[in-house]
Amino acid sequence: MMMNKQERLENRLQPKIAAFREERQTLILSTLSADGYPHISYAPFVRLADGYYILISEIAEHTQNLLMNPNLSFMLLEDEQGAKQIFARHRLTYKANAAVIDRESDTWAQAIPALEARFGEIITNLSGLSDFRLFRIEPQTGRYVRGFGKAYTVNGNDDIDFVHLEKGHQPIKEEAE
């Protein structure tokens, strides 16, 4: 059976996206304040089958923002020191929705141990504090960038929807005098 261009692209990129995601430990979060200003922050995460999970305090501004407005965007970003080109760091960004997970739920009982396995005893301590909330972040649409001219639109399951930049960057044309 012959694969089409889309299938070949997905087969090549999905493992790269998965490996990139696993190398990251934090999400860079962008939430909106009550007065409409964007707020940027970060949170350690674990990814399970149904989304990304973060454990954050109600004292933090990003938690208050998410409790008021569940819409956000987040980014996984290549470290500066590991980047071949600082202007083209690898990144995975998403528009997403957040939902608070009840402490008595099966989801809490799965996500907290997964966070503990990834980050250790700090999760045991923080999850025992009343001001810490567990959120599931469900990615909707996003973009995976591997460098200049290598940007791909992805869905919440990291499936490649289509090649975003086929044309690439264009030089400025000098105007004739």
Side-chain angles (χ1 to χ4, degrees):
M1 182 177 97
M2 250 178 123
M3 283 192 287
N4 66 30
K5 182 180 178 183
Q6 180 70 25
E7 290 170 323
R8 286 192 311 272
L9 185 64
E10 284 189 15
N11 288 340
R12 186 170 51 87
L13 288 177
Q14 281 181 326
K16 291 181 192 247
I17 292 171
F20 177 75
R21 186 181 47 246
E22 285 307 308
E23 292 168 0
R24 312 276 77 80
Q25 292 188 56
T26 59
L27 302 176
I28 299 170
L29 304 169
S30 179
T31 59
L32 283 175
S33 66
D35 54 4
Y37 281 94
H39 174 73
I40 195 159
S41 59
Y42 82 96
F45 76 94
V46 68
R47 184 171 184 265
L48 299 178
D50 61 345
Y52 295 75
Y53 286 83
I54 60 174
L55 184 66
I56 53 180
S57 171
E58 288 178 6
I59 297 169
E61 186 175 345
H62 55 231
T63 308
Q64 290 301 312
N65 292 347
L66 290 174
L67 290 170
M68 185 181 44
N69 180 350
N71 298 322
L72 72 146
S73 63
F74 71 89
M75 176 170 55
L76 299 163
L77 181 62
E78 178 182 27
D79 294 331
E80 288 181 8
Q81 59 269 37
K84 290 180 187 170
Q85 173 48 258
I86 199 72
F87 282 94
R89 289 163 68 189
H90 294 192
R91 56 202 175 273
L92 181 60
T93 59
Y94 283 104
K95 292 178 183 172
N97 303 105
V100 177
I101 303 302
D102 186 81
R103 285 180 180 270
E104 307 305 317
S105 69
D106 290 341
T107 303
W108 178 282
Q110 293 169 355
I112 293 299
L115 282 161
E116 288 171 335
R118 190 157 197 210
F119 299 110
E121 190 178 330
I122 185 78
I123 299 300
T124 309
N125 297 335
L126 296 177
S127 65
L129 300 174
S130 63
D131 61 300
F132 273 79
R133 298 285 195 99
L134 179 67
F135 284 86
R136 176 179 50 239
I137 297 176
E138 298 176 68
Q140 305 300 312
T141 60
R143 184 155 299 141
Y144 177 57
V145 178
R146 288 191 44 83
F148 289 118
K150 296 178 184 173
Y152 308 91
T153 297
V154 294
N155 66 21
N157 297 320
D158 296 336
D159 294 328
I160 309 299
D161 284 341
F162 59 86
V163 177
H164 170 65
L165 289 174
E166 288 187 345
K167 191 174 180 181
H169 299 287
Q170 302 296 313
I172 297 173
K173 294 184 172 121
E174 296 290 326
E175 289 189 34
E177 290 185 29

